[in-house]
Coordinates of all heavy atoms in Angstrom, one line a residue:
A9 N 6.0 20.7 3.7 CA 7.2 21.1 4.4 C 7.9 19.9 4.8 O 9.1 20.0 5.4 CB 6.7 21.9 5.7
I10 N 7.5 18.8 4.6 CA 8.2 17.5 4.9 C 8.6 16.8 3.6 O 7.8 16.5 2.7 CB 7.3 16.5 5.7 CG1 6.8 17.3 6.9 CG2 8.0 15.3 6.1 CD1 5.7 16.4 7.7
S11 N 9.9 16.5 3.4 CA 10.4 15.8 2.3 C 10.3 14.3 2.5 O 10.3 13.8 3.7 CB 11.9 16.3 1.9 OG 12.0 17.6 1.8
T12 N 10.1 13.6 1.3 CA 9.9 12.1 1.4 C 11.2 11.5 0.9 O 11.8 11.9 -0.1 CB 8.8 11.6 0.6 OG1 7.6 12.2 1.1 CG2 8.7 10.1 0.7
I13 N 11.9 10.7 1.7 CA 13.0 9.9 1.2 C 12.7 8.7 0.4 O 11.8 7.9 0.8 CB 13.9 9.4 2.5 CG1 14.4 10.7 3.3 CG2 15.0 8.5 2.1 CD1 15.3 10.2 4.4
P14 N 13.2 8.6 -0.8 CA 12.8 7.5 -1.8 C 13.0 6.2 -1.2 O 14.0 5.8 -0.5 CB 13.7 7.8 -3.0 CG 14.1 9.2 -2.9 CD 14.2 9.5 -1.4
N15 N 12.0 5.2 -1.5 CA 12.2 3.8 -1.0 C 13.6 3.3 -1.7 O 13.9 3.7 -2.8 CB 11.1 3.0 -1.6 CG 9.8 3.2 -0.7 OD1 9.9 3.9 0.4 ND2 8.7 2.7 -1.2
G16 N 14.1 2.4 -0.9 CA 15.5 1.9 -1.5 C 16.6 2.7 -0.9 O 17.8 2.2 -1.0
T17 N 16.5 3.8 -0.3 CA 17.6 4.5 0.2 C 18.3 3.8 1.3 O 17.6 3.4 2.3 CB 17.2 6.0 0.7 OG1 16.5 6.6 -0.4 CG2 18.3 6.8 1.1
N18 N 19.6 3.7 1.3 CA 20.3 3.0 2.3 C 21.2 3.8 3.2 O 21.8 3.3 4.2 CB 21.1 1.8 1.7 CG 22.1 2.2 0.6 OD1 22.5 3.4 0.6 ND2 22.3 1.3 -0.3
E19 N 21.3 5.0 2.8 CA 22.1 6.0 3.7 C 21.5 7.4 3.6 O 21.2 7.8 2.4 CB 23.5 6.0 3.2 CG 24.4 6.9 4.0 CD 25.9 6.9 3.5 OE1 26.1 6.3 2.5 OE2 26.7 7.5 4.2
F20 N 21.4 8.0 4.7 CA 20.8 9.4 4.7 C 22.0 10.4 4.5 O 23.0 10.3 5.3 CB 20.1 9.8 6.0 CG 19.6 11.2 6.0 CD1 18.6 11.6 5.2 CD2 20.2 12.1 6.8 CE1 18.1 12.9 5.2 CE2 19.9 13.4 6.9 CZ 18.8 13.7 6.1
V21 N 21.9 11.2 3.5 CA 22.9 12.3 3.2 C 22.1 13.6 3.3 O 21.3 13.9 2.5 CB 23.4 12.1 1.8 CG1 24.5 13.2 1.6 CG2 24.2 10.7 1.7
P22 N 22.6 14.4 4.2 CA 21.9 15.7 4.4 C 22.0 16.5 3.2 O 23.0 16.6 2.4 CB 22.7 16.4 5.6 CG 23.3 15.3 6.3 CD 23.6 14.2 5.3
Q23 N 20.9 17.1 2.7 CA 20.8 18.1 1.6 C 21.4 19.4 1.8 O 21.8 20.1 0.9 CB 19.4 18.2 1.2 CG 18.6 16.9 0.7 CD 17.2 17.0 0.4 OE1 16.6 18.1 0.6 NE2 16.6 16.0 -0.3
T24 N 21.4 19.9 3.1 CA 21.9 21.1 3.4 C 22.9 21.0 4.6 O 22.5 20.3 5.6 CB 20.8 22.2 3.8 OG1 19.8 22.1 2.8 CG2 21.4 23.6 4.1
A25 N 24.1 21.7 4.4 CA 25.0 21.5 5.6 C 24.6 22.3 6.8 O 24.0 23.4 6.6 CB 26.5 21.9 5.0
N26 N 25.0 21.8 8.0 CA 24.9 22.5 9.2 C 23.5 22.9 9.6 O 23.2 23.9 10.2 CB 25.7 23.9 9.1 CG 27.2 23.6 9.0 OD1 27.8 22.6 9.5 ND2 27.9 24.4 8.2
V27 N 22.5 22.0 9.3 CA 21.2 22.0 9.6 C 20.7 20.9 10.3 O 20.8 19.7 9.7 CB 20.2 22.4 8.3 CG1 18.8 22.4 8.6 CG2 20.7 23.8 7.7
P28 N 20.1 20.9 11.5 CA 19.6 19.7 12.1 C 18.5 19.0 11.2 O 17.8 19.8 10.4 CB 19.1 20.2 13.5 CG 18.7 21.6 13.2 CD 19.8 22.1 12.2
V29 N 18.3 17.8 11.5 CA 17.3 17.1 10.7 C 16.4 16.1 11.6 O 16.9 15.6 12.7 CB 18.0 16.1 9.7 CG1 17.1 15.1 9.0 CG2 18.7 17.0 8.6
I30 N 15.2 16.0 11.2 CA 14.2 15.1 11.8 C 13.7 14.1 10.9 O 13.2 14.4 9.8 CB 13.0 15.9 12.5 CG1 13.5 16.8 13.5 CG2 12.1 14.9 13.2 CD1 12.5 17.7 14.0
L31 N 14.0 12.7 11.2 CA 13.5 11.6 10.3 C 12.3 11.0 10.9 O 12.4 10.6 12.1 CB 14.6 10.6 10.1 CG 15.9 11.1 9.5 CD1 16.9 10.0 9.4 CD2 15.7 11.6 8.1
L32 N 11.2 11.0 10.3 CA 10.0 10.3 10.8 C 9.9 8.9 10.1 O 9.6 9.0 8.8 CB 8.7 11.1 10.5 CG 7.4 10.4 10.6 CD1 7.2 9.7 11.9 CD2 6.2 11.2 10.2
F33 N 10.1 7.9 10.8 CA 9.9 6.5 10.2 C 8.5 6.1 10.4 O 8.0 6.0 11.5 CB 10.9 5.6 10.9 CG 12.4 5.7 10.4 CD1 13.1 6.6 11.0 CD2 12.9 4.9 9.5 CE1 14.5 6.9 10.7 CE2 14.2 5.2 9.0 CZ 15.0 6.1 9.6
R34 N 7.8 5.8 9.3 CA 6.3 5.4 9.4 C 6.1 4.4 8.4 O 7.0 3.8 7.6 CB 5.6 6.6 9.0 CG 6.0 7.4 7.8 CD 5.2 8.6 7.4 NE 3.7 8.4 7.2 CZ 3.0 9.2 6.5 NH1 3.6 10.2 5.9 NH2 1.8 9.0 6.4
T35 N 4.8 3.8 8.4 CA 4.5 2.9 7.4 C 3.0 3.2 7.0 O 2.3 4.1 7.6 CB 4.4 1.4 8.0 OG1 3.5 1.4 9.1 CG2 5.8 1.0 8.4
S36 N 2.5 2.5 6.0 CA 1.2 2.8 5.4 C 0.1 2.2 6.4 O -1.0 2.6 6.3 CB 1.0 2.2 4.1 OG 1.3 0.8 4.0
W37 N 0.4 1.3 7.2 CA -0.5 0.6 8.0 C -0.6 1.0 9.4 O -1.5 0.7 10.2 CB -0.2 -0.9 8.0 CG 1.1 -1.4 8.2 CD1 2.1 -1.8 7.3 CD2 1.7 -1.4 9.4 NE1 3.3 -2.0 7.9 CE2 3.1 -1.9 9.3 CE3 1.4 -1.2 10.8 CZ2 4.1 -2.1 10.2 CZ3 2.3 -1.5 11.8 CH2 3.6 -1.9 11.5
E38 N 0.3 1.8 9.9 CA 0.3 2.3 11.3 C -0.7 3.5 11.3 O -0.4 4.6 10.8 CB 1.7 2.7 11.7 CG 1.7 3.6 12.9 CD 1.0 2.9 14.2 OE1 1.3 1.7 14.3 OE2 0.3 3.6 14.7
P39 N -1.9 3.3 12.2 CA -2.8 4.3 12.1 C -2.5 5.6 12.8 O -3.1 6.6 12.5 CB -4.0 3.6 12.8 CG -3.4 2.6 13.7 CD -2.1 2.2 12.9
S40 N -1.6 5.7 13.7 CA -1.4 6.7 14.5 C -0.8 8.0 13.8 O -0.9 9.1 14.3 CB -0.5 6.5 15.7 OG 0.7 6.2 15.3
I41 N -0.2 7.9 12.7 CA 0.6 8.9 12.0 C -0.1 9.1 10.5 O 0.5 9.8 9.7 CB 2.0 8.6 11.9 CG1 2.9 9.8 11.5 CG2 2.3 7.4 11.0 CD1 2.9 10.9 12.5
Q42 N -1.3 8.6 10.3 CA -2.0 8.8 9.1 C -2.5 10.3 9.0 O -2.7 10.9 10.0 CB -3.0 7.8 8.8 CG -2.6 6.3 8.7 CD -1.5 6.2 7.7 OE1 -1.5 6.7 6.6 NE2 -0.5 5.3 8.1
P43 N -2.6 10.8 7.8 CA -3.2 12.2 7.6 C -4.6 12.4 8.4 O -5.3 11.5 8.3 CB -3.4 12.3 6.1 CG -2.4 11.4 5.5 CD -2.3 10.2 6.5
G44 N -4.6 13.4 9.1 CA -5.8 13.9 9.9 C -5.7 13.4 11.3 O -6.6 13.8 12.2
T45 N -4.7 12.6 11.7 CA -4.6 12.3 13.1 C -3.8 13.4 13.7 O -3.1 14.3 13.3 CB -3.7 11.0 13.2 OG1 -2.4 11.2 12.6 CG2 -4.4 9.8 12.5
A46 N -4.0 13.4 15.1 CA -3.4 14.4 15.9 C -2.0 14.5 15.8 O -1.4 15.6 15.7 CB -3.9 14.3 17.4
L47 N -1.3 13.3 15.7 CA 0.1 13.3 15.7 C 0.7 13.8 14.3 O 1.7 14.5 14.3 CB 0.6 11.8 16.0 CG 2.1 11.6 16.0 CD1 2.8 12.5 17.0 CD2 2.5 10.2 16.2
D48 N -0.1 13.4 13.2 CA 0.4 13.9 11.9 C 0.1 15.4 11.8 O 1.0 16.1 11.3 CB -0.4 13.2 10.9 CG -0.1 13.7 9.4 OD1 1.0 13.3 8.9 OD2 -0.8 14.4 8.9
D49 N -1.0 15.9 12.3 CA -1.2 17.4 12.3 C -0.2 18.1 13.1 O 0.3 19.1 12.7 CB -2.6 17.7 13.0 CG -3.7 17.2 12.0 OD1 -3.5 16.9 10.8 OD2 -4.9 17.1 12.4
A50 N 0.3 17.6 14.2 CA 1.3 18.2 15.1 C 2.6 18.2 14.4 O 3.4 19.2 14.4 CB 1.3 17.5 16.4
F51 N 3.0 17.1 13.8 CA 4.3 17.0 13.1 C 4.3 17.9 11.8 O 5.3 18.7 11.6 CB 4.6 15.6 12.7 CG 6.0 15.4 12.2 CD1 7.0 15.6 13.0 CD2 6.2 15.0 10.8 CE1 8.3 15.3 12.4 CE2 7.5 14.8 10.3 CZ 8.6 15.0 11.1
S52 N 3.2 18.0 11.2 CA 3.2 18.9 9.9 C 3.2 20.4 10.5 O 3.9 21.1 9.7 CB 1.8 18.7 9.2 OG 1.8 17.4 8.7
A53 N 2.5 20.7 11.6 CA 2.7 22.0 12.0 C 4.0 22.4 12.5 O 4.5 23.5 12.2 CB 1.7 22.2 13.3
L54 N 4.8 21.5 13.1 CA 6.2 21.7 13.4 C 7.0 21.9 12.3 O 7.9 22.8 12.2 CB 6.7 20.6 14.3 CG 6.2 20.5 15.8 CD1 6.5 19.2 16.4 CD2 6.6 21.6 16.6
A55 N 6.8 21.1 11.2 CA 7.6 21.2 10.0 C 7.3 22.7 9.3 O 8.2 23.2 8.8 CB 7.1 20.1 9.1
S56 N 6.1 23.0 9.3 CA 5.8 24.4 8.7 C 6.4 25.5 9.5 O 6.9 26.5 8.9 CB 4.2 24.5 8.7 OG 3.7 23.6 7.8
A57 N 6.5 25.4 10.9 CA 7.0 26.4 11.8 C 8.6 26.5 11.7 O 9.0 27.6 11.7 CB 6.5 26.2 13.2
Y58 N 9.2 25.3 11.5 CA 10.7 25.4 11.7 C 11.3 24.9 10.4 O 12.5 24.6 10.5 CB 11.0 24.4 12.8 CG 10.5 24.9 14.2 CD1 9.6 24.3 14.8 CD2 11.2 26.0 14.8 CE1 9.1 24.8 16.1 CE2 10.7 26.5 16.0 CZ 9.8 25.9 16.6 OH 9.2 26.3 17.9
N59 N 10.6 24.9 9.2 CA 11.3 24.4 8.1 C 12.5 25.1 7.5 O 13.3 24.7 6.8 CB 10.3 24.1 7.0 CG 9.7 25.4 6.4 OD1 9.9 26.5 7.0 ND2 9.1 25.4 5.3
E60 N 12.6 26.3 8.0 CA 13.8 27.2 7.5 C 14.9 26.8 8.5 O 16.2 27.2 8.1 CB 13.4 28.7 7.6 CG 12.5 29.0 6.6 CD 12.2 30.5 6.6 OE1 12.8 31.2 7.4 OE2 11.5 31.0 5.7
Q61 N 14.8 26.3 9.7 CA 15.9 26.0 10.6 C 16.2 24.6 10.7 O 17.2 24.2 11.3 CB 15.6 26.6 12.0 CG 15.3 28.1 12.0 CD 14.0 28.4 12.8 OE1 12.8 28.1 12.3 NE2 14.1 28.9 13.9
C62 N 15.4 23.7 10.1 CA 15.5 22.3 10.4 C 14.9 21.5 9.2 O 14.0 21.9 8.5 CB 14.7 21.9 11.7 SG 14.9 20.2 12.1
G63 N 15.6 20.4 8.8 CA 15.0 19.6 7.7 C 14.0 18.5 8.3 O 14.4 17.8 9.3
F64 N 13.0 18.3 7.6 CA 11.9 17.4 8.0 C 11.7 16.3 6.9 O 11.5 16.7 5.8 CB 10.6 18.0 8.3 CG 10.5 18.8 9.6 CD1 11.1 20.1 9.6 CD2 10.1 18.3 10.7 CE1 11.1 20.9 10.7 CE2 10.1 19.2 11.9 CZ 10.7 20.4 11.9
F65 N 12.0 15.1 7.2 CA 11.8 14.0 6.3 C 11.0 12.8 6.7 O 11.1 12.5 7.9 CB 13.2 13.5 5.9 CG 14.2 14.4 5.3 CD1 14.9 15.3 6.1 CD2 14.3 14.5 3.9 CE1 15.7 16.2 5.6 CE2 15.2 15.5 3.3 CZ 15.9 16.3 4.1
A66 N 10.3 12.3 5.9 CA 9.5 11.0 6.1 C 10.1 9.8 5.4 O 10.5 10.0 4.3 CB 8.0 11.2 5.6
V67 N 10.1 8.7 6.1 CA 10.8 7.6 5.6 C 9.8 6.4 5.8 O 9.3 6.2 6.9 CB 12.1 7.2 6.4 CG1 12.8 6.0 5.8 CG2 12.9 8.5 6.5
D68 N 9.6 5.7 4.7 CA 8.8 4.4 4.8 C 9.8 3.4 5.4 O 10.7 2.9 4.7 CB 8.4 4.0 3.4 CG 7.5 2.7 3.4 OD1 7.5 2.1 4.5 OD2 6.8 2.5 2.4
A69 N 9.5 3.0 6.5 CA 10.4 2.1 7.4 C 10.6 0.7 6.6 O 11.6 0.2 6.8 CB 9.9 1.9 8.7
E70 N 9.5 0.3 6.0 CA 9.6 -0.9 5.3 C 10.2 -0.8 3.9 O 10.9 -1.7 3.3 CB 8.2 -1.6 5.2 CG 7.6 -2.0 6.5 CD 6.2 -2.6 6.3 OE1 5.5 -2.2 5.4 OE2 5.8 -3.4 7.2
G71 N 10.0 0.4 3.3 CA 10.6 0.7 1.9 C 12.1 1.0 2.0 O 12.8 1.0 1.0

Side-chain angles (χ1 to χ4, degrees):
I10 304 171
S11 301
T12 299
I13 292 182
N15 284 351
T17 300
N18 55 27
E19 181 181 6
F20 175 72
V21 179
Q23 298 176 345
T24 306
N26 300 319
V27 173
V29 168
I30 300 174
L31 302 176
L32 162 58
F33 287 83
R34 52 186 296 207
T35 61
S36 59
W37 46 262
E38 167 52 46
S40 65
I41 194 65
Q42 299 305 320
T45 61
L47 184 58
D48 181 71
D49 289 346
F51 188 63
S52 296
L54 288 167
S56 297
Y58 295 106
N59 65 346
E60 293 185 359
Q61 301 133 288
C62 186
F64 289 78
F65 296 86
V67 186
D68 184 341
E70 294 178 333

